[in-house]
Amino acid sequence: MPSAAATNRRSARFLVSPSQRLDRRMKFASISGPRARLASCQGIVRAGLMFTRGVFTSPWFRHSSGPVFRGKSVTILNAQFVSHVGRLVLEDYVELQGASQLGISFGENVSIGRGTMIRPSSYYGGEAGVGLRMGDRSSVGAGGFIGCSGWIEIGNDVMIGPGVRLFSENHAFDRLDIPIKEQGVNRGQLIIEDDCWIGSGVTVMSGVRIRRGTVVAAGSVVTRDTAEGSVIAGTPARLLRVRGEDSVA
C-alpha cells in the first residue's frame, strides 16, 4: 500500500493545473522582476503555439505517444515513416524527410534544433535510405545535418552541438573514366553511444562508432572509432586524453 505522504504528493500534483506546471517550467533562474515575468509569459505563448501545431502533426506519424512541439515553418515529408515516444520538440525551420527503409525513430524528450535537416532519402525518388534511431533525452543543436541514407544510431543522453554534420554515406570515386557523380555511393553506418557530447561544428564520417562517454571538441572531423570516455579534437580528430586520466596530448 502506498504511504499517506506519497498519496498526498500525487493528490497535490493533480490539484496543479497544466498551465501552472508550464508556468513553473518557463521561469528563468537567477532573474526576477517584471522583465523576468514577461520573458516567462513569452515562453508560455511560444510553447502553446508549438503544442497546438503538434496536435495536428502527431496523427500523421507512424506512431506517436507524448506531446509534439512543432515550431514555425517546420517541413515534414512522409510523416508515416516517423515515430516517437514521449515529448518531441521540432524547433523552427526543421526539415525532416521520413521516407526510409527502417524509418525515423525518436525516444523520450528529444529536441531537434532550429534549421536542422534530417535526410535519409532524396525528395525526388530513387533508392530509399536506411534511417535514424535517436535515444532518450538526446538533442541536436541549431543548424545540424543528419544524412541518414545509411544507418545512424544516436544513444541516450547525447548532446549534439550547433552545426554538427553526421554522414553515413560516401561517394565512390576510384574510377577516372567516368564522373564521380556517376560512380554511385557506399552506404555504411554511424553509431554514437550513450552520454556523448559532440561539440559545435563537428563532422562525423560514415563507418565511425563514437563510444560511450566520448567528448568531441568543436570543429573536429571524426574519421575513425573512439575509445570509451575519450576526449578527441582536430582534423582528423585524435585522442587528447581519457576522461578521469591525465592528458596524453
Side-chain angles (χ1 to χ4, degrees):
M1 293 290 290
S3 66
T7 302
N8 289 338
R9 283 196 298 269
R10 285 197 296 270
S11 299
R13 182 168 63 88
F14 285 114
L15 291 174
V16 178
S17 69
S19 61
Q20 288 174 312
R21 290 197 293 270
L22 183 61
D23 181 61
R24 289 175 181 176
R25 291 177 182 176
M26 289 297 173
K27 287 184 177 179
F28 293 90
S30 305
I31 59 174
S32 59
R35 286 178 292 182
R37 289 193 291 272
L38 177 60
S40 296
C41 290
Q42 290 171 336
I44 291 169
V45 170
R46 173 175 167 77
L49 291 172
M50 293 177 70
F51 177 79
T52 301
R53 297 187 196 102
V55 167
F56 294 98
T57 300
S58 55
W60 297 96
F61 286 159
R62 178 180 181 182
H63 173 78
S64 178
S65 59
V68 176
F69 290 82
R70 179 174 178 168
K72 66 181 181 181
S73 301
V74 170
T75 300
I76 303 175
L77 297 179
N78 299 297
Q80 68 271 21
F81 291 90
V82 179
S83 61
H84 76 102
V85 178
R87 187 184 66 168
L88 173 63
V89 178
L90 303 172
E91 295 185 359
D92 299 346
Y93 303 104
V94 164
E95 182 181 306
L96 171 57
Q97 158 68 298
S100 50
Q101 298 172 32
L102 300 180
I104 307 296
S105 174
F106 301 107
E108 296 183 357
N109 296 325
V110 168
S111 176
I112 307 298
R114 180 186 177 102
T116 293
M117 294 181 283
I118 300 175
R119 291 186 179 177
S121 306
S122 168
Y123 293 131
Y124 311 109
E127 184 179 0
V130 181
L132 165 72
R133 181 167 66 208
M134 192 167 176
D136 300 339
R137 300 172 302 280
S138 292
S139 61
V140 179
F145 180 84
I146 301 178
C148 47
S149 48
W151 177 244
I152 292 183
E153 183 172 337
I154 298 170
N156 300 327
D157 303 302
V158 173
M159 298 184 296
I160 297 177
V164 169
R165 298 168 293 275
L166 307 178
F167 297 100
S168 55
E169 176 183 274
N170 285 316
H171 286 278
F173 56 87
D174 289 338
R175 296 177 60 180
L176 298 175
D177 58 325
I178 59 174
I180 293 173
K181 73 175 189 177
E182 296 180 7
Q183 296 185 40
V185 295
N186 299 314
R187 288 179 172 173
Q189 65 176 10
L190 188 162
I191 308 295
I192 302 176
E193 296 182 359
D194 298 345
D195 189 29
C196 292
W197 176 21
I198 313 299
S200 174
V202 167
T203 299
V204 186
M205 304 305 296
S206 178
V208 167
R209 177 182 287 269
I210 297 180
R211 289 190 167 82
R212 182 184 181 95
T214 294
V215 175
V216 184
S220 300
V221 177
V222 186
T223 60
R224 57 185 178 181
D225 296 354
T226 73
E228 186 169 319
S230 59
V231 179
I232 63 173
T235 306
R238 65 183 183 89
L239 180 66
L240 297 182
R241 64 183 179 89
V242 177
R243 293 168 61 195
E245 299 180 6
D246 293 334
S247 174
V248 299

